[in-house]
Amino acid sequence: MKKTFSMELGGRTLSVDTGRVAAQANGAVLMHYGDTVVLSTATASDKPREGIDFFPLSVDFEEKMYAAGKIPGGFNKREGKPSENAVLTARVIDRPMRPLFPKDYRNDVTLNNLVLSVDPACRPEILAMFGSAIATCISDIPFAGPCATTQIGMKDGEFIVNPSQKDWDEGDLQLTVASTMEKVIMIEAGANEIKEDKMIEAIYMAHEINLQINAFINEIVAEVGKEKHTYTSCAIPDEMFAAIKEIVPPEAMEEAVFTDEKQKREENIREITAKLEEAFADNEEWLEVLGEAVYQYQKKTVRKMILRDHKRPDGRAINQIRPLAAEVDLIPRVHGSAMFTRGQTQICTITTLAPLSEMQRVDGLDENITNKRYMHHYNFPSYSVGETKPSRGPGRREIGHGALAEKALVPVLPSEEEFPYAIRTVSETFESNGSTSQASICASTMSLMAAGVPIKKPVAGISCGLVTGETDDDYIVLTDIQGLEDFFGDMDFKVAGTRDGITAIQMDIKIHGLTRPIVEEAIARTREARMYILDEVMAKAIAEPRPTVGEYAPKIISMQIDPQKIGDVVGQRGKTINAIIEETGVKIDINDDGNVSICGTDAEMMEKARHYVEIIVTDFEAGQVFTGKVVSIKEFGAFIEFAPGKEGMVHISKISKQRINRVEDVLTLGDKVTVVCLGKDRMGRISFSMKDVKGSDPRKKA
């Protein structure tokens, strides 16, 4: 039966249609916010997937170009792989919802969000976040909802709830917060150096709105929600844990995991696993889940050590950062390079500079095609964690980590006017044991400075973890979590920023929410660690941006011309500009405002190209002197090319002070000569004279 539910949200009406479409999905809602429409569905398999030890959740955000009245660009007119925005949106939906499914649930679940219509005032991303939660809550899929998500922007110091695309893109804050009925469960933010207290204020403003949305979702579930289905539990039998503890006592497991060397710890666990495999050789059922059982035993051991004994696996204090190292210029010939090491996490970032014409073209569901000037890419090869598998290109995690670092660094980049380059940084993970994304921010900051990019301030990042007990006030926050503490802990709270404020946050948790004291302590702890990294490590490797770009980086000359003269520089079918490029070897870009960018590595050739452009756009007046080449000889005179595509004529009477009968008596093709401009003849051609050049002998060639 079709039903429609509505609530007022951020000054607009949010409407939810149930029972209208996609009736065969476990749960489906048609979401309306302004003129933005998104179909969100939740489906689950009947049986658990065999042979896996994780919850197989898939989240999709499908951007259809028809939603914005567009046909896909390029040769293929059908939408292809998800855009970066689609991947990042799917991740923001996945991260708060995944912990709310049962931990022992192994049925495949797919959350699909199909964007049908886009109103620029109502971003479809936020509608998909609402829709995924509502579709799951009203379905028969086990889920500890409701959960809601709100986005907060900021303009002129004022917060904006669920801002329009324009306000989102141009504002000083891009904050996304997800909450249950009690607690915050996910935070994602990009910010223009927002102070910590202002960020906390924005987070809990979003949380209060989420509580209203959750109440709305509960009303929908009360009317149309299905009874949750039963499922086959994949929990480890209690008797198996008891048997494991007899063979491997808790103190033995504690000794195995208590080391700061990842490889040694893994070898210890392999030995324990082999011992248990031998003991359970006759119990095939237990052998099938032995890996998961050992994992959970490690998890309980590590959590107990941290929470009750305040002991970390590598022996560090609760607020202690692992050993740090930083260096620049380790890769020759690239435009900039830096490496940042934190314990067994090591990132090398390489910076490449190029003309603005090499910016990335981004065609999405918003109204305009935009150009992306700064690109940060992150790679995570299998060797970084001592594993072997073929490289299949970046996955969703790599795209997400790259986007987080990009978000952290954009606020400190110079403007195009200050630094007319497209910039790409690539972070290569050499070794990984916790928070490589934050290490990539540190390495990228140093790499940009080494490349001569005049960033406003250095940016650093660090991650905090969490282990909780049975009550809200029984917890411990850990500074600089390594992989083991991330896997077995409850939170990965990443914060990046400058000395003056936050530029990016990404918070993931595995429990049903964080209290405000935990959020505030994590933000305070990351600030303390960030200051230490900036002052004691990064500043000692490179304190400020280099004054110029490096030897192998392209150099750029910028000049402004009258926009009416752009056609003269380009020439018919590009003949003039291509001639300049061919002769000088530079790259020339001209925008509609008349800004000319000349890019190259040979300073002499760049200056020559600049000189040619200046000549072409000059309004020719009598008395101007030029040097040119004889390109054509006629009976009545010679044509002189004084800039690519630009010619003027010297009449035979103006070649020499003495009378000559033939032009060829003085000039031959290819001669370089100096001429003075006489103005234009009655046919509009530029007239030159050789004999009237002051102080010159017209019989001598230039």
Side-chain angles (χ1 to χ4, degrees), residues 495-550:
V495 181
T498 66
R499 292 179 179 87
D500 297 320
I502 294 171
T503 59
I505 295 179
Q506 187 176 91
M507 185 201 80
D508 300 321
I509 62 172
K510 301 170 188 174
I511 54 177
H512 291 191
L514 303 181
T515 62
R516 183 162 183 160
I518 293 175
V519 173
E520 291 178 346
E521 182 174 347
I523 288 178
R525 193 79 71 78
T526 55
R527 174 176 171 76
E528 177 186 324
R530 188 168 81 239
M531 297 304 109
Y532 177 79
I533 294 170
L534 286 168
D535 296 334
E536 299 300 324
V537 183
M538 294 170 58
K540 292 179 179 178
I542 181 166
E544 58 187 20
R546 290 189 171 136
T548 59
V549 298

Side-chain angles (χ1 to χ4, degrees), residues 228-244:
K228 300 300 183 183
H229 65 231
T230 58
Y231 63 93
T232 302
S233 173
C234 296
I236 305 299
D238 290 340
E239 57 269 26
M240 182 178 179
F241 271 123
I244 289 174

